[in-house]
Amino acid sequence: MKLTQAQMDQFERDGYLFFPGHFSPPEIKVLVDEVPALYAQRRPENVREKTGDVVRTNFAAHMYSAPFARLARHPRMVEPVRQLFGEPVYMHQFKINGKQAFDGDLWQWHQDYGTWKNDDQMPGPRAMNVAIFLDEVNEFNGPLMFIPGSHKLGVLEAAHDTSTTSYPLWTINNETIRKLVDRGGIVAPKGPAGSMILFHGCLVHASSSNLSPWNRVSVYLSLCAVSNHIRRFKRPGYIAHRDFTPIECLPDDCLHMDYDVPLPWKDGTPAEELQGNLKAA
Ligand code: SIN
Ligand code: MN
């Protein structure tokens, strides 16, 4: 799949591109059917909401689930990112955010590159966020909100919030957000399951809690240009990956066909991937 020049220009201007219905309902069903078994597992990759047992984020499913390992190599997702960076990419982070009906908690205003820089020593913002909707996203179930154009401001000052939500995040203060929204407004791409968003690592984003009766499960992948790989292994390997091997795509029908994929963490996460240490290999 190739982006047009108009799409490349739009990405440059707004910091994101939205592709409604990019994957078909049968393709998405293959992924949706796998999620309950992943969320039921007792493994460190499942981070729960602070209120109880509901899973907020599952990390690194592509290392132990065949459907998600195939998604991680899908050309409709990987090729536009490679095109925008002009070089091969590796998987920096892979998560399935639950945002479950009634229980899904908010994500505060932040830029992902703030965390990649501060925690992982990623040299530049040459890593792309990709969101793929496994459920419909509507105005009620906590859609992702963007401030268009905010990626052009580079890394903004942020504070390390380790208490408000169940997962530490570098968050941006309300006064800064007010100024940014005065300039750029807020958008919240909404659409059917199977929709895809590409968004810049410096684009300021957030989402509110899900008080609706509809789950909002979405996959979030971060694909990093290989030359821009992280330099510090402070966070566990299942959160910030340490394997910088370029992604090789499978054929376009890979969500329908049983192509062979490696599942190295199927029987558990290797001990060295569970801990952070400060030294990169
Ligand atoms: C994120 O910013 O990484 C996730 C936001 C969301 O799931 O709404
Ligand atoms: Mn984010």
PDB file of all heavy atoms in Angstrom, residues 244-271:
ATOM      1  N   PHE A 244      15.986  -5.033  17.293  1.00  0.00           N
ATOM      2  CA  PHE A 244      15.843  -3.989  16.268  1.00  0.00           C
ATOM      3  C   PHE A 244      15.822  -4.568  14.847  1.00  0.00           C
ATOM      4  O   PHE A 244      16.078  -3.858  13.872  1.00  0.00           O
ATOM      5  CB  PHE A 244      16.988  -2.968  16.404  1.00  0.00           C
ATOM      6  CG  PHE A 244      17.204  -2.467  17.815  1.00  0.00           C
ATOM      7  CD1 PHE A 244      18.493  -2.328  18.332  1.00  0.00           C
ATOM      8  CD2 PHE A 244      16.130  -2.150  18.640  1.00  0.00           C
ATOM      9  CE1 PHE A 244      18.700  -1.881  19.628  1.00  0.00           C
ATOM     10  CE2 PHE A 244      16.317  -1.702  19.940  1.00  0.00           C
ATOM     11  CZ  PHE A 244      17.607  -1.569  20.440  1.00  0.00           C
ATOM     12  N   THR A 245      15.527  -5.850  14.732  1.00  0.00           N
ATOM     13  CA  THR A 245      15.462  -6.492  13.412  1.00  0.00           C
ATOM     14  C   THR A 245      14.347  -5.862  12.579  1.00  0.00           C
ATOM     15  O   THR A 245      13.219  -5.726  13.067  1.00  0.00           O
ATOM     16  CB  THR A 245      15.158  -8.004  13.576  1.00  0.00           C
ATOM     17  OG1 THR A 245      16.046  -8.543  14.547  1.00  0.00           O
ATOM     18  CG2 THR A 245      15.301  -8.749  12.267  1.00  0.00           C
ATOM     19  N   PRO A 246      14.648  -5.465  11.323  1.00  0.00           N
ATOM     20  CA  PRO A 246      13.595  -4.873  10.480  1.00  0.00           C
ATOM     21  C   PRO A 246      12.416  -5.836  10.302  1.00  0.00           C
ATOM     22  O   PRO A 246      12.618  -7.042  10.145  1.00  0.00           O
ATOM     23  CB  PRO A 246      14.287  -4.634   9.140  1.00  0.00           C
ATOM     24  CG  PRO A 246      15.745  -4.658   9.427  1.00  0.00           C
ATOM     25  CD  PRO A 246      15.942  -5.523  10.633  1.00  0.00           C
ATOM     26  N   ILE A 247      11.208  -5.293  10.308  1.00  0.00           N
ATOM     27  CA  ILE A 247      10.005  -6.111  10.084  1.00  0.00           C
ATOM     28  C   ILE A 247       9.965  -6.530   8.625  1.00  0.00           C
ATOM     29  O   ILE A 247      10.123  -5.702   7.724  1.00  0.00           O
ATOM     30  CB  ILE A 247       8.731  -5.310  10.417  1.00  0.00           C
ATOM     31  CG1 ILE A 247       8.717  -4.933  11.898  1.00  0.00           C
ATOM     32  CG2 ILE A 247       7.476  -6.106  10.042  1.00  0.00           C
ATOM     33  CD1 ILE A 247       7.574  -4.000  12.285  1.00  0.00           C
ATOM     34  N   GLU A 248       9.771  -7.827   8.406  1.00  0.00           N
ATOM     35  CA  GLU A 248       9.536  -8.333   7.041  1.00  0.00           C
ATOM     36  C   GLU A 248       8.059  -8.621   6.906  1.00  0.00           C
ATOM     37  O   GLU A 248       7.493  -9.383   7.699  1.00  0.00           O
ATOM     38  CB  GLU A 248      10.345  -9.608   6.803  1.00  0.00           C
ATOM     39  CG  GLU A 248      11.786  -9.298   6.456  1.00  0.00           C
ATOM     40  CD  GLU A 248      12.554 -10.532   6.055  1.00  0.00           C
ATOM     41  OE1 GLU A 248      11.967 -11.407   5.396  1.00  0.00           O
ATOM     42  OE2 GLU A 248      13.729 -10.607   6.430  1.00  0.00           O
ATOM     43  N   CYS A 249       7.424  -8.006   5.902  1.00  0.00           N
ATOM     44  CA  CYS A 249       5.967  -8.151   5.754  1.00  0.00           C
ATOM     45  C   CYS A 249       5.580  -9.532   5.246  1.00  0.00           C
ATOM     46  O   CYS A 249       6.308 -10.158   4.487  1.00  0.00           O
ATOM     47  CB  CYS A 249       5.444  -7.094   4.784  1.00  0.00           C
ATOM     48  SG  CYS A 249       5.503  -5.439   5.466  1.00  0.00           S
ATOM     49  N   LEU A 250       4.396  -9.961   5.668  1.00  0.00           N
ATOM     50  CA  LEU A 250       3.741 -11.150   5.110  1.00  0.00           C
ATOM     51  C   LEU A 250       2.868 -10.675   3.933  1.00  0.00           C
ATOM     52  O   LEU A 250       2.692  -9.467   3.745  1.00  0.00           O
ATOM     53  CB  LEU A 250       2.871 -11.799   6.186  1.00  0.00           C
ATOM     54  CG  LEU A 250       3.625 -12.464   7.350  1.00  0.00           C
ATOM     55  CD1 LEU A 250       2.657 -12.835   8.458  1.00  0.00           C
ATOM     56  CD2 LEU A 250       4.379 -13.699   6.855  1.00  0.00           C
ATOM     57  N   PRO A 251       2.277 -11.603   3.184  1.00  0.00           N
ATOM     58  CA  PRO A 251       1.339 -11.174   2.124  1.00  0.00           C
ATOM     59  C   PRO A 251       0.100 -10.493   2.705  1.00  0.00           C
ATOM     60  O   PRO A 251      -0.200 -10.630   3.907  1.00  0.00           O
ATOM     61  CB  PRO A 251       0.966 -12.490   1.433  1.00  0.00           C
ATOM     62  CG  PRO A 251       2.086 -13.430   1.756  1.00  0.00           C
ATOM     63  CD  PRO A 251       2.552 -13.041   3.129  1.00  0.00           C
ATOM     64  N   ASP A 252      -0.625  -9.793   1.849  1.00  0.00           N
ATOM     65  CA  ASP A 252      -1.767  -8.984   2.276  1.00  0.00           C
ATOM     66  C   ASP A 252      -2.906  -9.815   2.907  1.00  0.00           C
ATOM     67  O   ASP A 252      -3.695  -9.285   3.684  1.00  0.00           O
ATOM     68  CB  ASP A 252      -2.304  -8.192   1.079  1.00  0.00           C
ATOM     69  CG  ASP A 252      -3.300  -7.134   1.508  1.00  0.00           C
ATOM     70  OD1 ASP A 252      -2.856  -6.090   2.027  1.00  0.00           O
ATOM     71  OD2 ASP A 252      -4.517  -7.374   1.373  1.00  0.00           O
ATOM     72  N   ASP A 253      -2.950 -11.118   2.593  1.00  0.00           N
ATOM     73  CA  ASP A 253      -4.037 -11.946   3.148  1.00  0.00           C
ATOM     74  C   ASP A 253      -3.639 -12.611   4.468  1.00  0.00           C
ATOM     75  O   ASP A 253      -4.245 -13.597   4.887  1.00  0.00           O
ATOM     76  CB  ASP A 253      -4.468 -13.005   2.114  1.00  0.00           C
ATOM     77  CG  ASP A 253      -3.329 -13.946   1.730  1.00  0.00           C
ATOM     78  OD1 ASP A 253      -2.208 -13.784   2.259  1.00  0.00           O
ATOM     79  OD2 ASP A 253      -3.560 -14.844   0.891  1.00  0.00           O
ATOM     80  N   CYS A 254      -2.636 -12.064   5.146  1.00  0.00           N
ATOM     81  CA  CYS A 254      -2.063 -12.786   6.293  1.00  0.00           C
ATOM     82  C   CYS A 254      -3.004 -12.913   7.490  1.00  0.00           C
ATOM     83  O   CYS A 254      -2.756 -13.731   8.374  1.00  0.00           O
ATOM     84  CB  CYS A 254      -0.724 -12.180   6.710  1.00  0.00           C
ATOM     85  SG  CYS A 254      -0.812 -10.485   7.282  1.00  0.00           S
ATOM     86  N   LEU A 255      -4.083 -12.141   7.541  1.00  0.00           N
ATOM     87  CA  LEU A 255      -5.011 -12.342   8.672  1.00  0.00           C
ATOM     88  C   LEU A 255      -5.985 -13.487   8.380  1.00  0.00           C
ATOM     89  O   LEU A 255      -6.701 -13.935   9.278  1.00  0.00           O
ATOM     90  CB  LEU A 255      -5.751 -11.045   9.000  1.00  0.00           C
ATOM     91  CG  LEU A 255      -4.872  -9.982   9.654  1.00  0.00           C
ATOM     92  CD1 LEU A 255      -5.628  -8.666   9.824  1.00  0.00           C
ATOM     93  CD2 LEU A 255      -4.339 -10.438  11.015  1.00  0.00           C
ATOM     94  N   HIS A 256      -6.004 -13.952   7.124  1.00  0.00           N
ATOM     95  CA  HIS A 256      -6.886 -15.071   6.767  1.00  0.00           C
ATOM     96  C   HIS A 256      -6.139 -16.392   6.661  1.00  0.00           C
ATOM     97  O   HIS A 256      -6.737 -17.450   6.726  1.00  0.00           O
ATOM     98  CB  HIS A 256      -7.543 -14.813   5.400  1.00  0.00           C
ATOM     99  CG  HIS A 256      -8.515 -13.674   5.414  1.00  0.00           C
ATOM    100  ND1 HIS A 256      -9.558 -13.606   6.304  1.00  0.00           N
ATOM    101  CD2 HIS A 256      -8.605 -12.565   4.651  1.00  0.00           C
ATOM    102  CE1 HIS A 256     -10.243 -12.496   6.082  1.00  0.00           C
ATOM    103  NE2 HIS A 256      -9.684 -11.843   5.094  1.00  0.00           N
ATOM    104  N   MET A 257      -4.837 -16.329   6.427  1.00  0.00           N
ATOM    105  CA  MET A 257      -4.067 -17.545   6.141  1.00  0.00           C
ATOM    106  C   MET A 257      -3.128 -17.845   7.311  1.00  0.00           C
ATOM    107  O   MET A 257      -2.660 -16.928   7.978  1.00  0.00           O
ATOM    108  CB  MET A 257      -3.229 -17.351   4.866  1.00  0.00           C
ATOM    109  CG  MET A 257      -4.028 -16.885   3.661  1.00  0.00           C
ATOM    110  SD  MET A 257      -5.205 -18.097   3.067  1.00  0.00           S
ATOM    111  CE  MET A 257      -4.115 -19.215   2.215  1.00  0.00           C
ATOM    112  N   ASP A 258      -2.836 -19.135   7.499  1.00  0.00           N
ATOM    113  CA  ASP A 258      -2.013 -19.554   8.635  1.00  0.00           C
ATOM    114  C   ASP A 258      -0.517 -19.461   8.330  1.00  0.00           C
ATOM    115  O   ASP A 258       0.199 -20.457   8.459  1.00  0.00           O
ATOM    116  CB  ASP A 258      -2.375 -20.990   9.033  1.00  0.00           C
ATOM    117  CG  ASP A 258      -3.617 -21.013   9.909  1.00  0.00           C
ATOM    118  OD1 ASP A 258      -4.013 -19.929  10.390  1.00  0.00           O
ATOM    119  OD2 ASP A 258      -4.179 -22.104  10.095  1.00  0.00           O
ATOM    120  N   TYR A 259      -0.052 -18.299   7.889  1.00  0.00           N
ATOM    121  CA  TYR A 259       1.391 -18.187   7.642  1.00  0.00           C
ATOM    122  C   TYR A 259       2.140 -18.429   8.946  1.00  0.00           C
ATOM    123  O   TYR A 259       1.690 -18.021  10.023  1.00  0.00           O
ATOM    124  CB  TYR A 259       1.740 -16.790   7.099  1.00  0.00           C
ATOM    125  CG  TYR A 259       1.160 -16.520   5.736  1.00  0.00           C
ATOM    126  CD1 TYR A 259       0.126 -15.607   5.565  1.00  0.00           C
ATOM    127  CD2 TYR A 259       1.645 -17.184   4.617  1.00  0.00           C
ATOM    128  CE1 TYR A 259      -0.415 -15.358   4.310  1.00  0.00           C
ATOM    129  CE2 TYR A 259       1.102 -16.937   3.352  1.00  0.00           C
ATOM    130  CZ  TYR A 259       0.082 -16.035   3.212  1.00  0.00           C
ATOM    131  OH  TYR A 259      -0.455 -15.797   1.977  1.00  0.00           O
ATOM    132  N   ASP A 260       3.280 -19.075   8.790  1.00  0.00           N
ATOM    133  CA  ASP A 260       4.096 -19.406   9.946  1.00  0.00           C
ATOM    134  C   ASP A 260       4.710 -18.141  10.541  1.00  0.00           C
ATOM    135  O   ASP A 260       5.258 -17.322   9.806  1.00  0.00           O
ATOM    136  CB  ASP A 260       5.217 -20.339   9.457  1.00  0.00           C
ATOM    137  CG  ASP A 260       5.573 -21.326  10.536  1.00  0.00           C
ATOM    138  OD1 ASP A 260       4.734 -21.553  11.419  1.00  0.00           O
ATOM    139  OD2 ASP A 260       6.709 -21.836  10.486  1.00  0.00           O
ATOM    140  N   VAL A 261       4.584 -17.966  11.854  1.00  0.00           N
ATOM    141  CA  VAL A 261       5.205 -16.809  12.505  1.00  0.00           C
ATOM    142  C   VAL A 261       5.901 -17.293  13.787  1.00  0.00           C
ATOM    143  O   VAL A 261       5.404 -18.201  14.452  1.00  0.00           O
ATOM    144  CB  VAL A 261       4.162 -15.723  12.892  1.00  0.00           C
ATOM    145  CG1 VAL A 261       3.871 -14.785  11.742  1.00  0.00           C
ATOM    146  CG2 VAL A 261       2.882 -16.319  13.441  1.00  0.00           C
ATOM    147  N   PRO A 262       7.020 -16.694  14.139  1.00  0.00           N
ATOM    148  CA  PRO A 262       7.681 -17.100  15.385  1.00  0.00           C
ATOM    149  C   PRO A 262       6.881 -16.603  16.596  1.00  0.00           C
ATOM    150  O   PRO A 262       6.365 -15.481  16.573  1.00  0.00           O
ATOM    151  CB  PRO A 262       9.050 -16.402  15.312  1.00  0.00           C
ATOM    152  CG  PRO A 262       8.860 -15.272  14.349  1.00  0.00           C
ATOM    153  CD  PRO A 262       7.754 -15.647  13.414  1.00  0.00           C
ATOM    154  N   LEU A 263       6.773 -17.433  17.636  1.00  0.00           N
ATOM    155  CA  LEU A 263       6.077 -17.020  18.876  1.00  0.00           C
ATOM    156  C   LEU A 263       7.004 -17.305  20.064  1.00  0.00           C
ATOM    157  O   LEU A 263       6.746 -18.191  20.896  1.00  0.00           O
ATOM    158  CB  LEU A 263       4.755 -17.787  19.036  1.00  0.00           C
ATOM    159  CG  LEU A 263       3.721 -17.568  17.931  1.00  0.00           C
ATOM    160  CD1 LEU A 263       2.518 -18.482  18.113  1.00  0.00           C
ATOM    161  CD2 LEU A 263       3.266 -16.102  17.893  1.00  0.00           C
ATOM    162  N   PRO A 264       8.101 -16.561  20.156  1.00  0.00           N
ATOM    163  CA  PRO A 264       9.151 -16.925  21.113  1.00  0.00           C
ATOM    164  C   PRO A 264       8.735 -16.836  22.588  1.00  0.00           C
ATOM    165  O   PRO A 264       9.386 -17.451  23.426  1.00  0.00           O
ATOM    166  CB  PRO A 264      10.273 -15.925  20.805  1.00  0.00           C
ATOM    167  CG  PRO A 264       9.615 -14.800  20.073  1.00  0.00           C
ATOM    168  CD  PRO A 264       8.456 -15.387  19.346  1.00  0.00           C
ATOM    169  N   TRP A 265       7.672 -16.082  22.914  1.00  0.00           N
ATOM    170  CA  TRP A 265       7.284 -15.952  24.328  1.00  0.00           C
ATOM    171  C   TRP A 265       6.030 -16.769  24.657  1.00  0.00           C
ATOM    172  O   TRP A 265       5.349 -16.520  25.638  1.00  0.00           O
ATOM    173  CB  TRP A 265       7.024 -14.481  24.692  1.00  0.00           C
ATOM    174  CG  TRP A 265       8.235 -13.599  24.532  1.00  0.00           C
ATOM    175  CD1 TRP A 265       9.478 -13.943  24.067  1.00  0.00           C
ATOM    176  CD2 TRP A 265       8.315 -12.198  24.843  1.00  0.00           C
ATOM    177  NE1 TRP A 265      10.309 -12.849  24.056  1.00  0.00           N
ATOM    178  CE2 TRP A 265       9.625 -11.758  24.524  1.00  0.00           C
ATOM    179  CE3 TRP A 265       7.403 -11.265  25.342  1.00  0.00           C
ATOM    180  CZ2 TRP A 265      10.045 -10.436  24.705  1.00  0.00           C
ATOM    181  CZ3 TRP A 265       7.813  -9.949  25.521  1.00  0.00           C
ATOM    182  CH2 TRP A 265       9.126  -9.545  25.211  1.00  0.00           C
ATOM    183  N   LYS A 266       5.732 -17.765  23.817  1.00  0.00           N
ATOM    184  CA  LYS A 266       4.500 -18.536  23.978  1.00  0.00           C
ATOM    185  C   LYS A 266       4.432 -19.237  25.336  1.00  0.00           C
ATOM    186  O   LYS A 266       3.381 -19.302  25.969  1.00  0.00           O
ATOM    187  CB  LYS A 266       4.413 -19.570  22.843  1.00  0.00           C
ATOM    188  CG  LYS A 266       3.036 -20.112  22.626  1.00  0.00           C
ATOM    189  CD  LYS A 266       2.927 -20.821  21.292  1.00  0.00           C
ATOM    190  CE  LYS A 266       1.526 -21.257  20.954  1.00  0.00           C
ATOM    191  NZ  LYS A 266       0.773 -21.873  22.021  1.00  0.00           N
ATOM    192  N   ASP A 267       5.556 -19.740  25.790  1.00  0.00           N
ATOM    193  CA  ASP A 267       5.549 -20.467  27.071  1.00  0.00           C
ATOM    194  C   ASP A 267       6.018 -19.602  28.229  1.00  0.00           C
ATOM    195  O   ASP A 267       6.398 -20.111  29.279  1.00  0.00           O
ATOM    196  CB  ASP A 267       6.420 -21.729  26.947  1.00  0.00           C
ATOM    197  CG  ASP A 267       5.862 -22.655  25.878  1.00  0.00           C
ATOM    198  OD1 ASP A 267       4.625 -22.801  25.818  1.00  0.00           O
ATOM    199  OD2 ASP A 267       6.663 -23.200  25.084  1.00  0.00           O
ATOM    200  N   GLY A 268       6.016 -18.303  28.045  1.00  0.00           N
ATOM    201  CA  GLY A 268       6.418 -17.394  29.125  1.00  0.00           C
ATOM    202  C   GLY A 268       7.427 -16.381  28.634  1.00  0.00           C
ATOM    203  O   GLY A 268       8.071 -16.578  27.596  1.00  0.00           O
ATOM    204  N   THR A 269       7.538 -15.310  29.399  1.00  0.00           N
ATOM    205  CA  THR A 269       8.429 -14.224  29.012  1.00  0.00           C
ATOM    206  C   THR A 269       9.838 -14.511  29.528  1.00  0.00           C
ATOM    207  O   THR A 269       9.988 -14.834  30.707  1.00  0.00           O
ATOM    208  CB  THR A 269       7.920 -12.903  29.634  1.00  0.00           C
ATOM    209  OG1 THR A 269       6.504 -12.870  29.469  1.00  0.00           O
ATOM    210  CG2 THR A 269       8.530 -11.697  28.982  1.00  0.00           C
ATOM    211  N   PRO A 270      10.858 -14.424  28.694  1.00  0.00           N
ATOM    212  CA  PRO A 270      12.227 -14.655  29.189  1.00  0.00           C
ATOM    213  C   PRO A 270      12.569 -13.698  30.338  1.00  0.00           C
ATOM    214  O   PRO A 270      12.183 -12.520  30.295  1.00  0.00           O
ATOM    215  CB  PRO A 270      13.104 -14.354  27.967  1.00  0.00           C
ATOM    216  CG  PRO A 270      12.184 -14.403  26.793  1.00  0.00           C
ATOM    217  CD  PRO A 270      10.814 -14.046  27.285  1.00  0.00           C
ATOM    218  N   ALA A 271      13.282 -14.209  31.345  1.00  0.00           N
ATOM    219  CA  ALA A 271      13.560 -13.422  32.566  1.00  0.00           C
ATOM    220  C   ALA A 271      14.192 -12.073  32.242  1.00  0.00           C
ATOM    221  O   ALA A 271      13.837 -11.052  32.837  1.00  0.00           O
ATOM    222  CB  ALA A 271      14.464 -14.228  33.489  1.00  0.00           C
TER     223      ALA A 271
END
